Every structure is written in C-alpha cells, then in structure tokens.
Amino acid sequence: MDEETEPPEQTAQTEQPATGSVVCARCGTTAGGDTIPVTWLSSVEDGRRLHFCESCARLHIRAIESRLDSLWW
C-alpha cells in the first residue's frame, strides 16, 4: 500500500516594507521616505537584511555578482 506524502510546508516570507529610515550598510546614505527605493540592493548576510544604495551597488557590482559578502568589498 503506497502512502502519499504531503509536500513540506513552505515558510515563504514576503518582503516587508522597511519601517523608519533605510540606511545604506556601506556608506551610510539615508533613503528618503520610509520605503526601500527600487534602485537599492537588498542582501541577506549572516541572517541580517542589509540595504545598499545605488552608488555602492554600482561601484561593487562585480563583487556582488560573484556573491561575495559585503565584508570582502
């Protein structure tokens, strides 16, 4: 007799809007408003969500695409 197995529950977390001001983890630039600008980069490193402004993301794009942690760049 074959037992049907149910797929494991997926705990998908939806992107929550930032509360308060959003600050670039690299240079300290503060985004205007209380939401993350669409031109900013979001990254999860060591279980923490970090945000990087457009300038820092452009400057370090090769390291980002190589999936290096921000400590390396």
Side-chain angles (χ1 to χ4, degrees):
M1 178 175 211
D2 293 328
E3 291 184 24
E4 291 185 28
T5 58
E6 295 181 21
E9 291 183 26
Q10 294 182 6
T11 57
Q13 295 178 350
T14 59
E15 181 73 22
Q16 297 294 324
T19 56
S21 61
V22 181
V23 179
C24 176
R26 185 81 181 151
C27 70
T29 300
T30 304
D34 60 347
T35 59
I36 305 165
V38 295
T39 57
W40 282 39
L41 176 86
S42 294
S43 174
V44 176
E45 298 176 15
D46 294 326
R48 298 179 322 168
R49 180 165 300 278
L50 303 175
H51 303 285
F52 299 98
C53 68
E54 182 178 2
S55 298
C56 289
R58 285 179 184 257
L59 183 63
H60 301 287
I61 191 68
R62 289 179 188 240
I64 293 167
E65 288 179 345
S66 298
R67 301 182 144 241
L68 296 175
D69 283 344
S70 60
L71 295 174
W72 288 94
W73 39 281

